[in-house]
Amino acid sequence: MKRIFRIVAALAVLAVGLVGYTAAMARVGSGTAPEMAAESERADEIRVDKSERRLELRRAGEVIHSYEVSLGAAPEGHKAREGDERTPTGRYVIDWRNPNSIAHLSLHISYPNAEDRARAEAAGHSPGGDIMIHGIANGWGWLGGLHRAWDWTNGCIAVTDAEMREIWSLVPDGTPITISE
């Protein structure tokens, strides 16, 4: 009985430690954001294929970079309401960026648009918001590509921290993004 108690106590301490570590690292921030790349190197479009778990940066119709991604924890279908953990589908724009995000850097996707709001309100729900392209939660960047083993976001599109730094520098505000099933 003592052994079981010790195991349970150790797991509880570990869980509290992990939660505390995550909360502390969320406040630390992402560090210094990278400079924007030369205009001739920047993307003019982003495409995300949810079924392929792939984000492509494009310039003049050509793929210039491609990344494997994690999506919302319930990725299939269009985001219908706040808390459904779906990644939206449709055409949006990168409309602002957050260098002090709780996940390593983040680019905001202009969800919800007017159609998304109307659909959610007609169903009696809030459409939600704060859908981003971001890196891994601050302090957990060492996970690297392991984060792709499951869809873990609340509806966002996640890449590794190194990939997020590259995307940040290549994607200016105003870049259109198309997210498809």
Side-chain angles (χ1 to χ4, degrees):
M1 192 66 161
K2 280 185 175 182
R3 183 177 176 158
I4 292 174
F5 176 76
R6 286 182 189 165
I7 291 171
V8 169
L11 289 174
V13 167
L14 179 62
V16 168
L18 289 174
V19 169
Y21 174 76
T22 301
M25 294 310 294
R27 295 175 193 260
V28 169
S30 300
T32 305
E35 297 291 322
M36 291 299 293
E39 195 167 331
S40 63
E41 297 175 16
R42 295 180 191 170
D44 60 18
E45 175 187 16
I46 303 169
R47 290 190 190 169
V48 176
D49 183 325
K50 289 171 39 173
S51 65
E52 297 282 328
R53 303 297 191 276
R54 178 144 317 274
L55 180 150
E56 295 176 343
L57 299 184
R58 293 172 171 252
R59 183 175 48 245
E62 299 293 322
V63 176
I64 58 172
H65 291 280
S66 182
Y67 310 91
E68 289 181 55
V69 300
S70 291
L71 302 171
E76 294 178 12
H78 180 61
K79 184 163 192 63
R81 62 180 172 77
E82 184 172 17
D84 66 7
E85 296 188 328
R86 290 184 180 155
T87 302
T89 56
R91 301 183 80 162
Y92 302 96
V93 159
I94 300 301
D95 56 357
W96 54 271
R97 56 191 58 230
N98 184 357
N100 299 309
S101 174
I102 63 169
H104 188 72
L105 305 172
S106 59
L107 300 176
H108 185 261
I109 298 169
S110 63
Y111 174 89
N113 61 27
E115 185 179 311
D116 296 322
R117 276 190 206 89
R119 187 180 312 119
E121 288 171 10
H125 301 291
S126 165
D130 287 336
I131 302 298
M132 317 287 261
I133 300 170
H134 61 68
I136 301 169
N138 291 327
W140 293 96
W142 54 268
L143 286 172
L146 290 175
H147 84 97
R148 296 184 195 113
W150 65 95
D151 289 315
W152 57 273
T153 76
N154 289 328
C156 296
I157 300 164
V159 294
T160 68
D161 290 357
E163 292 166 338
M164 190 62 225
R165 294 184 70 75
E166 182 174 71
I167 293 167
W168 178 281
S169 71
L170 294 170
V171 175
D173 290 352
T175 303
I177 178 169
T178 303
I179 306 169
S180 62
E181 288 290 330

